[in-house]
Amino acid sequence: MDQLQHAGGSGAGRRIYDWLRAQIADGSLPAGARAPSTRALASELGVSRTTVTSVYEQLAAEGFLLTAGGRVARVATPPTAAAAPALRATRSASMPPLSAFGRRVAAMDLPALAADGPARIDFLYGALAPRDFPVLAWRRAYQAELLRQQASLSYAAPEGDATLRHALQAYLRRARGLACSAGQILVVHGAQQAIDLCARLLLDADAAFVFEEPGYLMARRCFEATGARLLPVPADAHGLDTAQLPQDARARLAYVTPSHQFPLGGVLPIARRMALLQWAQRQQAWVVEDDYDGEFRYGQRPIDALQAIDTDGRVLYVGTVSKALSPQLRLGYMVLPPQLVPVFRQAKRLADRHAPLLEQRVLAALLDSGAYERHVRRMRRAHERRRAALLEAVAQLPGGAHAAGTAAGLHVVLWLPALRPRDEAALAAAARRRGVGVYPVSPLFAAPPGRDRPAGLVLGYAGLTAEQIAQGMALLAEVLHAGLHGPSGAGPGL
């Protein structure tokens, strides 16, 4: 007990509790053994008897000690103590099985976060520069909401705060051409939750879903987790090739990014938009429109959303503030066909009750004051400068490298015709050793690469300065040059 001789003072009870627990766990106080009396232990440790008594009462409540008035406390015998070693040995074999959904999720290959953190110059798509966050405007609105007196601190409506939904309704009409009521809007924890709700509510295991090839991996995995069959449809420079939409009776849903196809960057023209809506009507299927960065288009106004021309109530529109403010806010929204509003509200309530209320009201204040749109315009100009720096650097790369999807958004795809898809991982690893984070495009394809597909990288630029972009691309050029002209040739020389 030497370590407890000076246990008096703050935390004495916690230390005595931990010490007795350890004695019981390692067998120093075996089952049935007498515990020291509270008076004797308190005297030995120099603490009050009340402290020791409280510890004994806690251990008794947890089942480690047996106590009774006027009797000595003894160590309890756990009913499963004798079986514990056998249980540990057979735990993996006897673990209850996961559900079919759980087994599909467990088997999935999802993009891993880098164990050593972000690279020194990281072209991670989806990342924003912390200095771009509108700290002053957000803090001012946040403090005002904190000081606002509420009737009570209770759960809120699952569909989201009414103030924010009305502010979003007005904003979406101005900025994205959407015509909807505030009642059709559901506030969610980012676009990812919106996609997950769509998968759970609109797909069964015997159904199928249309998905852009290549496309957003985290969305594809959500739909695949339901057990539904993937029906990949190629995307080209103009987005989803609607001429290749399947006539499959099982197809219940199509997921598209029409304003800026992810990752290739194409904008879906009006003829294809109409063809997609007609297909959905014939199939009695839904269309999930992910408008993940539609606010950022350069040289011309943003393209109106697909939902704006949907006259049959087939499109579920998904929006987010992750690209304009921060992905860490976890705030997004859906515009739902009226007939889907009740079930999506119910599902949102079951999932997590509602999105954080304070942040919703802060965002509503920024939208109502015009601060959000001023911030988006400012960010559009900043991102355009970053994009220009990136394209200038791409022009200096060897091997016929060129960028696609440059007219909008916060990323480009860098195609490398001198390399093959099998070289992407080695190229990314070699660049990371030089302090540059770049990301292979191949994981975004569901099918294996064909003979004609070159290597490609997805380069996000919203989190970097123009100087960092130039420096990072110069380092990437050195890696490419070594790989293309080194002694072992393309691929292995990286």
Side-chain angles (χ1 to χ4, degrees), residues 274-401:
M274 297 304 299
L276 175 60
L277 293 175
Q278 291 163 5
W279 173 88
Q281 187 176 34
R282 290 194 306 271
Q283 291 284 135
Q284 292 293 292
W286 303 103
V287 176
V288 177
E289 177 183 12
D290 188 351
D291 195 24
Y292 66 100
D293 65 0
E295 293 155 317
F296 296 103
R297 185 165 177 81
Y298 309 114
Q300 51 190 299
R301 68 177 296 276
I303 303 295
D304 282 350
L306 177 66
Q307 192 270 0
I309 61 170
D310 173 28
T311 59
D312 197 39
R314 296 283 170 190
V315 176
L316 295 82
Y317 176 88
V318 176
T320 179
V321 300
S322 292
K323 304 300 182 292
L325 291 175
S326 168
Q328 295 180 355
L329 286 176
R330 306 313 306 139
L331 275 178
Y333 46 90
M334 305 181 72
V335 178
L336 298 163
Q339 63 270 35
L340 290 181
V341 167
V343 68
F344 270 78
R345 287 183 178 182
Q346 289 280 65
K348 170 64 178 171
R349 187 178 182 188
L350 289 175
D352 57 8
R353 293 225 180 227
H354 57 80
L357 189 59
L358 186 60
E359 285 77 2
Q360 289 187 64
R361 290 177 174 168
V362 173
L363 179 57
L366 296 186
L367 286 166
D368 285 338
S369 68
Y372 180 82
E373 286 167 271
R374 289 193 296 273
H375 172 72
V376 168
R377 289 193 294 270
R378 186 165 59 250
M379 287 302 93
R380 195 179 292 136
R381 293 190 296 270
H383 295 326
E384 194 161 9
R385 291 191 293 271
R386 291 166 172 143
R387 181 190 68 134
L390 179 61
L391 296 182
E392 181 179 348
V394 168
Q396 307 304 314
L397 293 178

Side-chain angles (χ1 to χ4, degrees), residues 131-143:
R131 62 188 169 278
D132 286 343
F133 187 81
V135 173
L136 294 179
W138 185 271
R139 184 173 64 186
R140 189 181 304 115
Y142 196 92
Q143 288 177 335

Side-chain angles (χ1 to χ4, degrees), residues 166-321:
H166 280 93
L168 283 170
Q169 176 196 17
Y171 170 72
L172 291 172
R173 179 180 287 276
R174 292 192 303 271
R176 306 299 294 118
L178 268 70
C180 67
S181 68
Q184 290 175 256
I185 296 175
L186 178 72
V187 181
V188 291
H189 270 104
Q192 193 65 37
Q193 185 180 48
I195 293 165
D196 183 63
L197 289 173
C198 290
R200 292 173 184 268
L201 296 178
L202 305 180
L203 289 176
D204 287 315
D206 60 353
F209 65 97
V210 166
F211 200 82
E212 298 167 329
E213 172 73 344
Y216 177 42
L217 180 61
M218 294 286 282
R220 171 154 58 89
R221 294 302 193 214
C222 273
F223 298 130
E224 288 174 332
T226 67
R229 181 187 175 197
L230 168 66
L231 300 174
V233 174
D236 57 23
H238 302 290
L240 184 79
D241 185 357
T242 52
Q244 299 191 50
L245 283 168
Q247 306 305 314
D248 189 321
R250 294 171 298 174
R252 311 302 331 137
L253 177 152
Y255 170 88
V256 292
T257 51
S259 295
H260 185 226
Q261 198 278 329
F262 185 84
L264 302 183
V267 176
L268 200 66
I270 186 63
R272 290 191 181 186
R273 292 177 181 234
M274 297 304 299
L276 175 60
L277 293 175
Q278 291 163 5
W279 173 88
Q281 187 176 34
R282 290 194 306 271
Q283 291 284 135
Q284 292 293 292
W286 303 103
V287 176
V288 177
E289 177 183 12
D290 188 351
D291 195 24
Y292 66 100
D293 65 0
E295 293 155 317
F296 296 103
R297 185 165 177 81
Y298 309 114
Q300 51 190 299
R301 68 177 296 276
I303 303 295
D304 282 350
L306 177 66
Q307 192 270 0
I309 61 170
D310 173 28
T311 59
D312 197 39
R314 296 283 170 190
V315 176
L316 295 82
Y317 176 88
V318 176
T320 179
V321 300

Side-chain angles (χ1 to χ4, degrees), residues 3-20:
Q3 68 270 37
L4 292 176
Q5 291 298 327
H6 304 288
S10 177
R14 178 77 243 185
R15 290 193 291 274
I16 296 168
Y17 170 88
D18 291 340
W19 174 75
L20 286 171

